[in-house]
Amino acid sequence: SKQGNPRSGRERSDGPSPQEDDFSRRDMRDDVPHESDFRMAPGTPITRADSFMDVEVETDNSTQLVEEGRRSPSMETSEPNADASGYIFNELVDRLLTPVMSKTNAHFSVTFLCLYRKFASPSELLAAIWQRFENLQKLSQPHLLKLGAQLRYLVILARWLSEYPGDFAHPFCRARMTDFLNKLSANRVFGAAATEMSTQLDLVVEDDDTRWACSDYARGPESTILSFSEIPSMHYPMHAAMENPSLKGKEWFDATQDSISQDERRASCGESSKAPSSDSSLDQSTPEYRSFVSTPLTSVEAAQRQTQLLNPTARISLTKVQWHQFMDISDEDIARELTRIDWILYSAIRPRDIVRHVSLTLEQRSRCGGLEYVNRMIDHFNHVAFWAASMVLLRDKAKHRARILEKFMSIAWKVRQFNNYNALGAIIAGINGIAVHRLVQTRDLVSSQIQKDFMRLEILMSTHKSHSAYRLAWENTSTGRIPFLPLHRRDLVSAEEGNSTWLGNNRERVNWRKFEIMGDIIISIKKSQETPYPQISRNVEVQRLVLDAKFSQDED
């Protein structure tokens, strides 16, 4: 097609605007309007700076502390009167083990277990729970009250083991957990729980969680063993723990002494993180099992196996054959298959993977095997956006382009009805990219009613008031839903970069307000993953059209 002024009305067949591999490079401050934010009228062409696909984060010093009273709805803390001076670790553990009396307490345990690695190692938390479990025996309370408290501690411990098994993969921490479970198995009240957790512990393998952030590897042997020195039933002095092979102490010390420097040990629980080794991965052959508490882990592993079947192949060049095939398929069937693919990719992501994705550098991410599934969803978002634009640009005549543009606008409305905000954002990004938007004659042939409906979708996904329309729709959706992941990732970056982990001159108190903000995002993601869609049958024809299509992702 001829090149011309984008506003001249002449058709152009340029390919879709290029997209970077990650989501964005946009300013992450919710309280400071970006120059491209929210003043454009619906229908204004979206450039690279404005694209939904272009939502990556600047990780420089420009990120500022999120100010109270000016953060977005999803950034509100769950406890407005939280102590501004922070909490010491033992206070947080006590709160973790406190009976759940409100929604805030219920959310606290989810947030804590996901994010505690930013300021404490697994062995520290295990020792703290173990010590409190045994200290209950010394209290002058009725036996049933003490028993109920101990069972509550075990529920927390079992949930931790089931959701984050990699935390127990370190040899010393695993041995201490084994000691604790062996002690429990002698008690007929706790025996069943101990047996189930022991079975689960036997299946633990090292994954990305094992060496992430504040790990037992980076902490050092003396500090780790010292954590257990105050437990009444632990009769091993520190030097014995280092020398006794049954405690795994010497084995662990020898294995890590050469690979972990003193600087890494001192910084292990600071703002920076050590990326896991490239060969760390979950054992995909692990059989399914039942745990002491309900766990989504096996469903995550099943989704991760299914994602291997959803790799784009770029085998089929787009021709009129694919165009007619696409036009003959109903809008609902296409939207349903896009939702099925997105749900599998989304279900394969663990919430802690998203936290790790925003806290690690780009180089560290490349060495972190577990982030493969986050990157897959990012790549699929961009793939769908380019695919939509390429299908519109496939035909030369405006009347043909208008027909398929109308179809994509109708598909966008269908995926909205499925609450698939990720596919919705991708289709809007493809249609509003420069390559498609400047086809003025094509847009003039699109039905006015369809354009009005599509404009409503643009308003829903617009960046106005920090995506307030989308946030409201997301929070009020109680059925199956898939988030617009770039925005939630951006919120995590704002909390991570804009708030310090530690408070006080000696860095002794945890800034829990920061983790409450991050926790609200994590809880939202977990809730959506725990509300699956009804069974969606695979549509092979649509899957091939989407994943096997070969098209250019260059700007020209």
Side-chain angles (χ1 to χ4, degrees):
S1 301
K2 296 181 180 179
Q3 302 283 336
N5 191 314
R7 301 296 184 184
S8 65
R10 289 186 293 173
E11 296 287 324
R12 297 188 56 176
S13 59
D14 299 71
S17 58
Q19 183 55 44
E20 299 177 352
D21 291 336
D22 210 337
F23 277 120
S24 71
R25 284 198 179 92
R26 297 189 56 172
D27 196 319
M28 306 313 302
R29 293 170 292 175
D30 287 335
D31 52 323
V32 181
H34 189 272
E35 62 182 3
S36 63
D37 281 353
F38 325 145
R39 296 304 181 189
M40 61 180 69
T44 302
I46 296 181
T47 64
R48 170 181 289 271
D50 303 321
S51 172
F52 280 109
M53 296 182 287
D54 198 14
V55 199
E56 177 63 353
V57 173
E58 289 284 351
T59 56
D60 58 14
N61 295 329
S62 64
T63 307
Q64 297 181 354
L65 181 66
V66 179
E67 297 180 7
E68 184 176 4
R70 299 181 64 187
R71 47 175 85 95
S72 61
S74 69
M75 306 287 285
E76 292 295 331
T77 64
S78 60
E79 193 174 17
N81 297 323
D83 187 1
S85 62
Y87 298 89
I88 62 174
F89 176 68
N90 284 329
E91 291 174 338
L92 293 174
V93 175
D94 289 337
R95 185 175 172 187
L96 172 69
L97 302 176
T98 299
V100 176
M101 305 298 291
S102 66
K103 181 186 291 188
T104 299
N105 287 349
H107 290 174
F108 178 88
S109 62
V110 175
T111 301
F112 184 90
L113 291 177
C114 181
L115 301 174
Y116 82 93
R117 290 290 298 276
K118 303 291 285 186
F119 52 82
S121 68
S123 62
E124 286 181 275
L125 179 56
L126 177 59
I129 295 176
W130 189 346
Q131 180 180 356
R132 285 160 174 76
F133 186 90
E134 296 198 348
N135 287 344
L136 284 174
Q137 297 290 354
K138 302 177 183 179
L139 299 179
S140 58
Q141 291 182 347
H143 177 69
L144 288 179
L145 290 180
K146 292 190 290 186
L147 185 61
Q150 289 177 316
L151 288 174
R152 185 174 64 252
Y153 292 7
L154 292 183
V155 169
I156 295 292
L157 190 61
R159 182 190 305 164
W160 176 23
L161 174 61
S162 64
E163 294 185 358
Y164 306 103
D167 288 0
F168 297 86
H170 185 280
F172 185 83
C173 187
R174 183 172 185 154
R176 299 290 64 72
M177 183 64 171
T178 301
D179 290 342
F180 180 59
L181 295 178
N182 288 339
K183 179 179 174 62
L184 289 180
S185 62
N187 188 309
R188 64 178 183 176
V189 177
F190 307 129
T195 300
E196 291 193 23
M197 284 192 282
S198 295
T199 302
Q200 192 168 355
L201 186 63
D202 291 339
L203 301 173
V204 168
V205 294
E206 184 170 325
D207 62 12
D208 293 328
D209 287 340
T210 307
R211 297 176 183 264
W212 174 60
C214 191
S215 68
D216 289 324
Y217 282 101
R219 192 171 174 231
E222 295 86 357
S223 298
T224 301
I225 296 173
L226 186 62
S227 298
F228 294 85
S229 61
E230 298 181 1
I231 298 176
S233 62
M234 287 292 293
H235 304 297
Y236 310 109
M238 185 186 301
H239 68 276
M242 291 294 298
E243 297 172 0
N244 190 340
S246 66
L247 297 181
K248 309 285 186 178
K250 190 172 187 304
E251 172 190 343
W252 157 53
F253 181 78
D254 293 339
T256 60
Q257 187 69 8
D258 295 335
S259 60
I260 304 296
S261 67
Q262 286 297 116
D263 290 340
E264 287 172 327
R265 288 198 186 100
R266 285 194 294 266
S268 63
C269 295
E271 298 295 334
S272 61
S273 304
K274 183 180 184 298
S277 58
S278 58
D279 59 351
S280 298
S281 61
L282 287 171
D283 184 1
Q284 299 295 333
S285 63
T286 298
E288 294 188 359
Y289 51 85
R290 295 188 62 184
S291 64
F292 184 46
V293 293
S294 176
T295 170
L297 183 60
T298 53
S299 62
V300 169
E301 292 177 340
Q304 290 175 348
R305 289 191 292 270
Q306 291 184 54
T307 59
Q308 307 303 322
L309 306 175
L310 300 175
N311 292 323
T313 60
R315 294 182 303 178
I316 303 176
S317 298
L318 295 178
T319 64
K320 291 183 180 179
V321 175
Q322 283 71 42
W323 189 90
H324 286 289
Q325 185 180 9
F326 178 79
M327 295 298 296
D328 290 340
I329 303 174
S330 70
D331 300 341
E332 184 167 347
D333 287 346
I334 296 173
R336 191 180 298 274
E337 180 62 18
L338 289 175
T339 300
R340 187 189 73 87
I341 294 173
D342 278 339
W343 176 251
I344 293 174
L345 296 176
Y346 179 53
S347 299
I349 299 174
R350 296 189 304 163
R352 195 184 272 184
D353 289 335
I354 302 178
V355 176
R356 196 159 29 241
H357 197 270
V358 304
S359 62
L360 299 179
T361 65
L362 187 61
E363 180 182 357
Q364 289 172 328
R365 289 180 213 162
S366 64
R367 301 197 302 269
C368 190
L371 298 186
E372 170 191 358
Y373 305 103
V374 181
N375 294 328
R376 277 176 182 266
M377 193 162 188
I378 293 172
D379 293 341
H380 182 70
F381 180 96
N382 293 327
H383 178 88
V384 171
F386 282 114
W387 170 70
S390 298
M391 290 294 291
V392 173
L393 297 169
L394 179 61
R395 302 298 296 270
D396 295 331
K397 294 183 178 180
K399 64 178 182 179
H400 293 141
R401 289 179 171 178
R403 285 181 58 194
I404 199 167
L405 183 58
E406 280 188 352
K407 189 173 184 67
F408 269 111
M409 289 180 175
S410 298
I411 292 171
W413 190 255
K414 289 295 183 180
V415 295
R416 166 64 184 94
Q417 293 176 339
F418 282 117
N419 298 319
N420 183 357
Y421 299 101
N422 197 67
L424 175 59
I427 293 174
I428 291 177
I431 292 177
N432 281 355
I434 294 178
V436 175
H437 190 276
R438 58 190 167 193
L439 305 179
V440 179
Q441 292 180 7
T442 295
R443 288 184 176 269
D444 289 342
L445 297 177
V446 175
S447 165
S448 59
Q449 183 59 48
I450 292 179
Q451 291 200 52
K452 289 180 181 179
D453 292 340
F454 185 71
M455 186 180 300
R456 292 169 59 188
L457 297 177
E458 289 179 310
I459 294 173
L460 172 66
M461 301 300 292
S462 74
T463 54
H464 183 58
K465 293 185 178 179
S466 187
H467 292 83
S468 60
Y470 162 75
R471 292 184 193 276
L472 183 63
W474 172 256
E475 292 170 3
N476 287 279
T477 302
S478 57
T479 56
R481 52 182 176 163
I482 301 173
F484 179 53
L485 197 59
L487 178 61
H488 298 274
R489 182 183 179 279
R490 191 188 78 174
D491 289 344
L492 280 174
V493 173
S494 296
E496 172 73 16
E497 299 289 333
N499 299 274
S500 173
T501 298
W502 302 97
L503 297 176
N505 296 330
N506 297 326
R507 294 166 57 88
E508 296 176 345
R509 306 186 73 83
V510 177
N511 180 13
W512 188 248
R513 186 182 297 272
K514 166 184 175 177
F515 296 104
E516 283 181 327
I517 296 171
M518 299 179 70
D520 288 343
I521 304 165
I522 295 301
I523 289 170
S524 175
I525 291 173
K526 284 180 68 68
K527 283 184 176 179
S528 64
Q529 290 181 325
E530 293 168 359
T531 309
Y533 285 86
Q535 184 66 32
I536 301 178
S537 300
R538 177 189 176 195
N539 189 313
V540 178
E541 186 178 18
V542 177
Q543 179 179 320
R544 289 176 178 172
L545 279 174
V546 176
L547 298 181
D548 293 347
K550 182 179 180 180
F551 47 83
S552 174
Q553 297 188 9
D554 294 333
E555 184 175 5
D556 296 328

